[in-house]
């Protein structure tokens, strides 16, 4: 970012607010609607502005909220491919964390302002019959891309897509969250009742969520919004072990101490780690990474590694581990380190994964995993392999896209063209802006940054006035093949009411509707 700034400083400064590197002030972090800005718009103008937000997840909401609160004479339209709002809060955040999902109430406040904000659900933006970005630019003063990450990274191994029993963490989290995505396998392909041993490649927050949902007593999740068919499937599971495998060492684990602690509290579950893998994790550089002088995160990292060392049963050898896995007593959660998957085993369904042993190389903060020499290979048996190595954003026709980072190039939220020049009127926020990691709080902060640049462009009258009416928007949507029925906020309220009623009849907070057609038919009802 700084490099870009220096390279074309002259052309860029014009587009930047006056405190480009000191953007964040306390009030920006305040997610509370009743901020001191409530009755006072920051940007007063006689002009009419229209904004389109692509994606109704946290980033889209926070951008819309900032605009509605701070700009007079403005209307914001939020588009989503799904008939429901809330993005990954609904389809990512684990169902046993209902307190996180309460944030939907905050987002709902934005949608309730139907005079100034319209929800256009079940609307596809992009190629293949969707509304084009150029059409949106024609209709709106500004377009904010906040469509997140709807795909995932692959392991790059042969037969990864053809063997049964291999799922991505996106599919898994989407499954237990009742996502409408077509590639989410309901029940039969998952065949959890056949699964004894699970291997999860990757050791971030999502891997932890999945492990917990698979290992936890399903009855503890039953009162929440977990779909009943999922719950029934989980009730049949007989999972004996889950191995969480990281390419790098224990110090570089991507989960938090809170998450590992939550797993460790599951009754009848023991955590294990291998002595040699832990020893090899603690290189001099890794020790340095845990030193409080090294970074603000070091203390947290050190607490986490201490917790791992103290809570795991440390095993001397792989043979010992094999014995533990084969024993029928209790369930096992195994933290494996310094292993990279190199081969998938099995004929029709996955039976195991071969891993190549790695070691750490490089300086603190920049350690890479490289294969040990001579090669060492280990096999982990499993009937379910979950790839939890990251979500991935997809490009939409008509916008610049970095195919290495899978993000939209931007300067503080303003999209850059292929000459690195900012494009006032085109903005990006959330996972699409900074990559698919980080919690909702981080998404809030980067959306505030995006709003700041929008504000700067409005203050400097760099955005065109627009008088686009809802009829114009409806027409633009429906002239595209992919969009045949729009779900507005009133329609969503009908769907929401049905889900809540169904849920309450079963003693749950909500019974999610799992098929788009059903949602659409409810939304049509008068
Ligand atoms: C499994 C999982 C669990 C998580 N758990 C937590 C947690 O417990 N706590 C926490 O703080 N954070 C959690 N996060 C992180 C949090 O979900 C993200 O920080 C946040 O959702 C990112 O917001 P976003 O708006 O960028 O993307 P999203 O939430 O993905 O929203 C993007 C929206 O764009 C829509 N969209 C996509 N393509 C199109 C298109 N072409 N046309 C129209 N609409 C489109 C999508 O349907 C979606 O609604 C979790 C993430 C995952 C994956």
């Amino acid at each position: 970012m700084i490099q870009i700034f220096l390279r074309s400083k002259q052309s860029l400064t014009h587009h930047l607010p006056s405190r480009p590197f000191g953007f964040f002030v306390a009030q920006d972090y305040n997610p509370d609607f009743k901020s001191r800005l409530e009755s006072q718009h920051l940007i007063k103008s006689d002009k009419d502005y229209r904004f389109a937000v692509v994606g109704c997840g946290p980033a889209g909401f926070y951008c819309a909220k900032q605009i509605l609160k701070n700009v007079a004479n403005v209307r914001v339209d939020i588009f989503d491919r799904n008939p429901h709002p809330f993005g990954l809060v609904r389809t990512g955040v684990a169902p046993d964390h209902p307190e996180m999902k309460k944030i939907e109430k905050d987002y709902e406040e934005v949608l309730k302002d139907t005079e100034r904000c319209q929800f256009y659900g079940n609307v596809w933006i992009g190629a293949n019959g969707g509304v084009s970005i150029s059409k949106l630019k024609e209709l709106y003063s500004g377009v904010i891309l906040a469509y997140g990450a709807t795909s995932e990274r692959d392991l790059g191994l042969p037969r990864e897509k053809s063997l049964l029993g291999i799922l991505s963490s996106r599919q898994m989290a989407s499954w237990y969250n009742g996502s409408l995505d077509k590639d989410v396998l309901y029940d039969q392909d998952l065949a959890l009742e056949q699964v004894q041993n699970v291997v999860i490649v990757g050791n971030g927050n999502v891997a932890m969520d999945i492990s917990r949902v698979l290992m936890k007593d399903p009855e503890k999740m039953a009162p929440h919004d977990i779909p009943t068919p999922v719950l029934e499937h989980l009730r049949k599971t007989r999972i004996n072990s889950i191995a969480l495998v990281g390419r790098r060492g224990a110090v570089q684990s991507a989960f938090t101490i809170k998450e590992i602690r939550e797993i460790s509290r599951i009754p009848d579950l023991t955590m294990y780690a291998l002595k040699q893998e832990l020893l090899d994790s603690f290189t001099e550089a890794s020790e340095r990474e845990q030193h409080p002088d090294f970074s603000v995160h070091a203390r947290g990292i050190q607490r986490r590694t201490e917790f791992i060392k103290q809570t795991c049963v440390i095993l001397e050898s792989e043979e010992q581990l094999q014995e533990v896995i084969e024993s029928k007593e209790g369930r096992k959660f195994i933290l494996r380190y310094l292993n990279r998957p190199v081969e998938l085993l099995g004929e029709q369904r996955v039976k195991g994964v071969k891993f190549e042993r790695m070691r750490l190389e490089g300086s603190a903060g920049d350690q890479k995993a490289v294969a040990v020499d001579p090669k060492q290979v280990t096999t982990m048996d499993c009937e379910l392999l979950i790839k939890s190595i990251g979500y991935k954003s997809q490009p939409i026709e008509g916008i610049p896209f970095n195919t290495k980072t899978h993000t939209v190039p931007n300067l503080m939220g303003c999209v850059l063209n292929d000459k690195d020049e900012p494009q006032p009127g085109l903005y990006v926020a959330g996972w699409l802006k900074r990559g698919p990691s980080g919690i909702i709080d981080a998404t809030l902060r980067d959306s505030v940054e995006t709003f700041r640049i929008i504000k700067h462009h409005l203050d400097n009258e760099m955005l065109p006035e627009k008088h686009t009416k809802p009829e114009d928007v409806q027409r633009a949507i429906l002239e595209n093949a992919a969009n045949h029925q729009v779900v507005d906020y009133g329609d969503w309220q009908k769907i929401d009411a049905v889900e809540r009623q169904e849920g309450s009849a079963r003693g749950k907070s909500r019974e999610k509707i799992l098929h788009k057609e059903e949602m659409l038919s409810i939304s049509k009802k008068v």
Side-chain angles (χ1 to χ4, degrees), residues 449-461:
E449 183 188 63
T450 298
F451 171 69
R452 288 271 164 194
I453 204 125
I454 294 172
K455 175 184 177 306
H456 176 75
H457 291 160
L458 285 169
D459 283 342
N460 289 282
E461 308 220 326

Side-chain angles (χ1 to χ4, degrees), residues 152-172:
E152 62 259 321
R153 289 172 57 195
D154 289 326
L155 298 171
L157 296 179
R159 303 190 303 142
E160 184 175 343
K161 305 269 185 201
S162 58
L163 277 179
L164 288 177
I166 302 180
L167 294 176
S168 68
S169 55
R170 182 187 61 77
Q171 284 172 304
M172 207 53 206

Side-chain angles (χ1 to χ4, degrees), residues 125-257:
I125 306 291
N128 302 324
V131 184
S132 67
I133 297 296
S134 59
K135 186 72 196 177
L136 291 182
K137 281 186 185 162
E138 208 181 293
L139 294 171
Y140 294 93
S141 317
V143 176
I144 301 158
L145 307 165
Y147 63 84
T150 49
S151 174
E152 62 259 321
R153 289 172 57 195
D154 289 326
L155 298 171
L157 296 179
R159 303 190 303 142
E160 184 175 343
K161 305 269 185 201
S162 58
L163 277 179
L164 288 177
I166 302 180
L167 294 176
S168 68
S169 55
R170 182 187 61 77
Q171 284 172 304
M172 207 53 206
S174 298
W175 172 71
Y176 62 61
N177 271 308
S179 153
L180 303 174
D181 280 351
K182 287 208 166 55
D183 64 338
V184 174
L185 313 167
Y186 281 100
D187 301 339
Q188 73 281 12
D189 295 290
L190 199 55
L192 274 183
E193 66 279 4
Q194 293 176 23
V195 176
Q196 295 249 314
N197 302 307
V198 181
V199 167
I200 303 184
V201 177
N203 59 12
N205 325 45
V206 178
M208 279 295 184
D209 273 359
I210 292 171
S211 304
R212 200 181 60 249
V213 170
L214 287 178
M215 289 288 209
K216 195 168 179 164
D217 176 0
E219 303 321 316
K220 295 253 186 286
M221 293 182 278
H224 307 310
D225 67 357
I226 188 163
T228 296
V230 172
L231 203 57
E232 279 165 4
H233 212 80
L234 287 172
R235 284 182 179 127
K236 287 188 247 157
T237 57
R238 300 283 172 269
I239 292 173
N240 168 52
S241 77
I242 295 184
L244 207 69
V245 192
R247 220 154 95 114
R248 295 193 294 160
V251 177
Q252 293 81 35
S253 308
F255 52 78
T256 62
I257 187 163

Side-chain angles (χ1 to χ4, degrees), residues 1 54 75 95 158 179 199 227 247 270 314 338 374 386 420 442 462 488:
M1 188 83 87
V54 182
R75 286 186 61 101
S179 153
V199 167
R247 220 154 95 114
T270 310
I314 311 291
L338 295 162
I386 298 167
D420 280 349
M462 290 162 77
D488 64 17

Side-chain angles (χ1 to χ4, degrees), residues 54-60 79-82 84-89 91-94 97 100 123-126 146-150 169 173 176 206 209 391 396 429-432 434 437-441 443:
V54 182
C56 200
F79 298 89
D80 204 283
R81 70 195 171 112
N82 281 319
H84 62 74
F86 310 134
L88 284 170
V89 177
T91 60
V93 173
H97 282 172
M100 268 319 298
V123 174
W124 177 250
I125 306 291
Y147 63 84
T150 49
S169 55
Y176 62 61
V206 178
D209 273 359
Y391 282 45
I396 282 188
W431 274 17
L432 180 65
R434 58 176 212 281
S437 70
I439 57 171
I440 292 166
D441 191 51
T443 301

Side-chain angles (χ1 to χ4, degrees), residues 3 56 100 111 182 228 284 340 342 355 401 457 485:
Q3 258 178 0
C56 200
M100 268 319 298
L111 298 182
K182 287 208 166 55
T228 296
E284 229 178 278
R340 180 177 78 100
V342 287
F355 287 88
F401 195 77
H457 291 160
Q485 186 186 335

